[in-house]
Amino acid sequence: MAAAKLTPTDSLSFCLAQLTVAAGEGSDEGQDTATNETPLGRALLALRTRHIKAAGGIERFRARGGLRPLLALLRRTAAADPAPPQASPSSAPSAISAGPAPGSGSAPSAGSSSAASPPARLRKTLDLALSILANCCTDGACRAEVRRLGGILSLVTILQCVKTDSIQNRTARALGNLAMEPESCRDIHSAGAVPLLLESLTACQDSQCLQSVVRALRNLADSPQHRLALAQQGAVRPLAELLATTPDPALTSALVRALLELSRGCSRACAEQLSLGGGLGPLVSLASHPKRAVREATILTLANLCAQGLVRPALGNAGGVEVLLGELRRRRGCSGASPTSQQPLVRAVCLLCREAINRARLRDAGGLELLMGLLRDSRARAWHPRVVAAFVGFLYDTGALGRLQALGLVPLLAAQLCGEAGDEEEEGREAASWDFPEERTPERAEAGSFRSLRSWLISEGYAAGPGDISPDWSPERCLPPESSEPSSPVPGPASLQTPRTLCTPRRSLTTTAQEPWGHEGPALLLLSRFSQAPDPSGALVTGPALCGLLAYVTGAPGPPNPRALRILARLTCNPACLEAFVRSYGAALLRAWLVLGVAPDDWPKPRARPACQSQHQELGEMLLQNLTVQAESPFGVGALTHLLLSGSPEDRVACALTLPFICRKPSLWRRLLLDQGGLRLLLAALTRPVPHPLFLFFAADSLSCLQSLMAPSAALSLPSAIPMDLDLPSPCLYEPLLGPAPSLTPDLHFLLDSGLQLPAQRAASTAASPFFRALLAGSFVEAQMDLVPLRGLSPGAAWPVLHHLHGCRGCGAALKPVPPPGQALLGSEAEEALEAASRFLLPRLEEELEEAVGHIHLGPQGGPESVGEVFRLGRPRLATHCARWALGPGQCPRKRALALVGLVEAAGEETGPLTEALLAVVMGVEAGGKGPC
């Protein structure tokens, strides 16, 4: 088969030569090559169809210098075009934004008369050249060179002068490609291309041309400044109007993508034009489009529009609330959906909560449950502050608040108090609720009733001047006042006082500083609203809610928000909350956290946190005093009696534990704790599974408080339990029998299992113990022996026994078998010595050994971990000493609780000895006895 014959246009050099000739010839020679297409037309057609579309063709065309003559040709061709009568260069850029002029000034289409259109050859040359340029501008290097050569101004000139649809289409396409570079985009805006593109958008009827213009506008919206400039020049409204009327799917897709770009960081002008252009309804309809790209672009556009309060009510009326909720629910249900894809929808849904009409739609569409799911999701932690702020919109919607409370909002709000502020930027003023639109007139006429109210407030001293009270009040500007104040104010320094807000008039000639409104402000406002219910105990007097409030009050970097203090005071002053404070161990938690400075996360191991401040102690004492007032009222007495006698086992234990904290009347706590068995209930519960993480800490503190109530004077000054002869040893009477040359001659030796022989005197041994009297002076064979074996006795355990037999009292021998603190007592020589003293019927030696154990392990050198070790010896007197050490009035609360933990672990299943020891110490039975304190 013969090869195809080559033509001159197959050569790029030939085509470039023709292009250079056409661009470089002057008009003075009498022939315009721009209109004589014979060589030029074939070259342009070959460039467009073969050379440019070949692999690497655009780069070769640019490298061979083809862009310069191509642009020159465009300028010559545009200059050869007779200017259309309807669009002069001086008037077009300034008047286009309002649309084309009516009548004879309307732009002609491709099918218009030849009088208003360029000649056919000129139009074909311009078409081919613009097509080549648009294709070249898909390459970044070409875009940069076209900008350097001034091609943008040439394209704007063609757009202004040549009103043929095909020329406008290719020019808009070239400008759209150039706008992909930020520098080119800036130059296109500066050249005044936007009004000309808008004129083409309203004048053209060809779908391809409209798509190119829409794409160019979309690419020109590459930055917030450019988007704002487009909106201010009226670019959004014609797009919205075209979206509402066009049946072309391709054009619809292009319009949706353009509106998505223009609505990013949606400005007021953009929202107004889109609403006035009737674009909200079509956008909501397109949210269910079968094409995913169109559907997602539409939904994101609706989400962007929610940033403007003025359009949100209309958007809700068009069905946007249901659309956005449905899409957010779908994306949260997709396991593969990333949190980033949900962010604009979460923001939009939260903004929709700012208008009452949209809140009603959101509530009916299941939006509350969806937002609560976000608040529970740890992966959505960055959005939690925004969701909480959205819930503030439902502050006075009783039905919605009830639903949110049932869904568990209160503990989540309490957890938000100590959370970090969200990373998202704050919304501007234009995102404020449209339920209270701003008045744009500089001076608004005031109603007569408001003038009268303001005059009265000034005359009575509630306001210092007319500026203190403004008719522009709205929840966006002023926090709602508290409906009720606690019966007892918060004492202490100014950081814990509760100043009123600017919303509440005061008799003062100075303006009061507004309360702080940090990231915890919305959560506190909602919690305050919940606390004003007649019975808020079910929601707020719970462990999580109280822990959140107390963690915020004690952990805030600065002075806490006074609203948090008012919430706590209001709860403790409400009689309906008394039983909840008892059941939830709330009173014990208030005392432990505020008064003693021990939080749940500080137990059992302390964590680094600021020391308990005096303000916190004062606050805790005030709150406990409020509970005391409620508990000692007739209602409180009946409630506590009912809990202790008829409540569940858990409630009865909680009541017995709480009574020492909130009851100061002896007749009341004696009747409930002693006569009706509350104290024994509490003691019996110590060895059972704990109902609260801090139960043993609470119990130790409660028993200590009860001990001080039982015998306040004895608790302040307990007698010393360590005999002075242990601190100042008395002379040893056994020492003369020791050594190689004893001063006293022994007449007896005791033989230990180890082979050691210990000297002794028979008379002293028989006089000191009935056991040894029967052994050494009776009918036993040992009475005739000079070397008497003592089985099962080590040298360390025998040492205090022999000292005691020879009359030593307080010589220090009893201290020798006792190991130092930190070492186990079980299996030690001390335990062996105690057993020997009991076996040899030496009760005073038992007491001395127990005193020695207490002196070392329960004295100043010992710690809470030694208490359990001492208790494990199973000695009743030592058990009482351990209980006294744990419940001592001067003991550190943490050490006291740790000692009780050790006692409970040491007691195991045998609870009787521990119960009796604690009961004896609390009741003061052993208050004057001997034993280590």
Side-chain angles (χ1 to χ4, degrees), residues 500-855:
R500 297 176 184 268
T501 65
L502 288 176
C503 306
T504 306
R506 298 185 64 185
R507 288 182 178 268
S508 174
L509 297 178
T510 59
T511 303
T512 306
Q514 193 171 6
E515 290 184 358
W517 183 263
H519 71 276
E520 74 280 1
L524 282 175
L525 188 59
L526 286 164
L527 290 174
S528 178
R529 182 71 175 89
F530 283 117
S531 71
Q532 295 168 17
D535 183 6
S537 60
L540 279 167
V541 190
T542 61
L546 290 177
C547 285
L549 286 168
L550 294 177
Y552 167 71
V553 169
T554 57
N561 192 312
R563 179 171 279 108
L565 311 182
R566 291 198 297 270
I567 292 172
L568 290 171
R570 187 179 298 118
L571 294 174
T572 55
C573 291
N574 192 339
C577 297
L578 177 62
E579 291 191 30
F581 269 105
V582 173
R583 288 192 177 97
S584 64
Y585 298 92
L589 183 65
L590 292 176
R591 174 175 164 81
W593 206 323
L594 297 176
V595 180
L596 303 180
V598 177
D601 56 355
D602 289 337
W603 175 258
K605 293 183 179 180
R607 296 181 62 185
R609 63 167 60 246
C612 184
Q613 302 178 6
S614 59
Q615 297 96 328
H616 300 156
Q617 295 177 355
E618 294 174 5
L619 174 63
E621 292 169 358
M622 182 273 295
L623 297 176
L624 290 174
Q625 181 61 34
N626 290 346
L627 290 174
T628 299
V629 172
Q630 305 305 321
E632 295 179 351
S633 66
F635 170 81
V637 172
L640 294 176
T641 304
H642 174 74
L643 273 180
L644 188 63
L645 298 182
S646 303
S648 65
E650 294 80 9
D651 292 347
R652 297 173 67 194
V653 172
C655 183
L657 184 145
T658 307
L659 281 171
F661 301 138
I662 62 175
C663 290
R664 292 294 180 265
K665 288 183 178 180
S667 59
L668 179 58
W669 57 260
R670 283 183 181 275
R671 177 166 59 86
L672 294 176
L673 289 174
L674 304 183
D675 300 342
Q676 296 178 354
L679 177 57
R680 287 195 173 273
L681 277 174
L682 175 58
L683 295 176
L686 294 178
T687 55
R688 294 199 293 264
V690 294
H692 190 280
L694 284 175
F695 177 76
L696 291 178
F697 184 92
F698 295 158
D701 190 28
S702 177
L703 292 173
S704 179
C705 289
L706 181 58
Q707 183 190 23
S708 64
L709 290 175
M710 292 287 296
S713 59
L716 292 176
S717 58
L718 285 176
S720 176
I722 305 299
M724 294 302 295
D725 55 0
L726 286 178
D727 296 326
L728 300 175
S730 60
C732 181
L733 302 179
Y734 183 60
E735 187 175 357
L737 295 173
L738 302 175
S743 58
L744 294 177
T745 303
D747 58 359
L748 178 69
H749 285 81
F750 290 110
L751 178 62
L752 304 183
D753 293 339
S754 62
L756 179 64
Q757 297 181 14
L758 295 177
Q761 287 187 333
R762 191 180 298 271
S765 300
T766 56
S769 166
F771 175 86
F772 284 101
R773 186 180 307 118
L775 180 68
L776 301 177
S779 57
F780 293 100
V781 69
E782 286 82 0
Q784 309 300 323
M785 299 171 60
D786 294 332
L787 186 61
V788 178
L790 290 181
R791 304 299 182 189
L793 200 61
S794 65
W799 187 256
V801 173
L802 288 173
H803 276 262
H804 187 81
L805 290 176
H806 291 80
C808 292
R809 301 293 185 268
C811 69
L815 296 174
K816 185 176 181 180
V818 181
Q823 295 184 15
L825 284 170
L826 286 179
S828 66
E829 291 181 342
E831 182 186 21
E832 188 179 351
L834 283 168
E835 293 177 353
S838 176
R839 181 171 52 142
F840 299 149
L841 303 179
L842 299 172
R844 291 197 61 187
L845 177 59
E846 286 189 74
E847 293 181 10
E848 190 174 353
L849 287 169
E850 289 173 353
E851 291 169 2
V853 170
H855 179 80

Side-chain angles (χ1 to χ4, degrees), residues 105-160:
S106 61
S109 63
S112 302
S113 61
S114 61
S117 300
R121 288 184 178 179
L122 179 65
R123 185 178 65 187
K124 185 174 181 181
T125 300
L126 199 56
D127 253 336
L128 290 171
L130 287 172
S131 178
I132 295 171
L133 180 62
N135 289 336
C136 288
C137 287
T138 58
D139 178 71
C142 289
R143 288 194 292 267
E145 187 167 347
V146 168
R147 183 179 71 255
R148 182 177 60 82
L149 295 174
I152 292 176
L153 189 60
S154 301
L155 291 172
V156 173
T157 303
I158 295 173
L159 194 67
Q160 180 180 5

Side-chain angles (χ1 to χ4, degrees), residues 240-333:
E241 292 173 346
L242 191 58
L243 180 68
T245 57
T246 182
D248 186 359
L251 181 57
T252 298
S253 177
L255 288 168
V256 169
R257 294 179 64 191
L259 289 174
L260 173 59
E261 290 299 323
L262 288 167
S263 65
R264 295 188 189 278
C266 187
S267 63
R268 187 187 185 100
C270 175
E272 285 180 340
Q273 292 179 43
L274 202 148
S275 178
L276 293 174
L280 294 180
L283 282 174
V284 172
S285 301
L286 288 172
S288 57
H289 196 275
K291 289 186 66 175
R292 178 180 176 181
V294 175
R295 184 173 63 251
E296 291 186 352
T298 301
I299 290 172
L300 290 178
T301 304
L302 294 175
N304 293 339
L305 289 173
C306 292
Q308 289 295 326
L310 65 93
V311 79
R312 286 197 297 264
L315 182 60
N317 290 333
V321 175
E322 293 78 7
V323 167
L324 292 173
L325 281 176
E327 180 64 17
L328 179 57
R329 189 177 290 111
R330 185 191 67 80
R331 293 191 183 186
R332 286 197 47 83

Side-chain angles (χ1 to χ4, degrees), residues 418-492:
C418 295
E420 298 180 357
D423 296 334
E424 298 180 356
E425 60 183 19
E426 297 182 0
E427 304 293 344
R429 293 180 58 188
E430 294 177 344
S433 173
W434 201 244
D435 289 346
F436 305 93
E438 296 181 0
E439 184 62 49
R440 290 187 172 272
T441 55
E443 294 183 0
R444 181 174 54 180
E446 298 175 354
S449 59
F450 176 77
R451 289 197 300 269
S452 301
L453 173 62
R454 186 172 62 184
S455 301
W456 181 83
L457 291 173
I458 295 174
S459 65
E460 293 293 324
Y462 287 109
D468 286 355
I469 307 297
S470 171
D472 292 331
W473 179 91
S474 79
E476 297 288 333
R477 304 181 182 88
C478 185
L479 303 180
E482 303 287 349
S483 63
S484 62
E485 294 294 332
S487 59
S488 59
V490 178

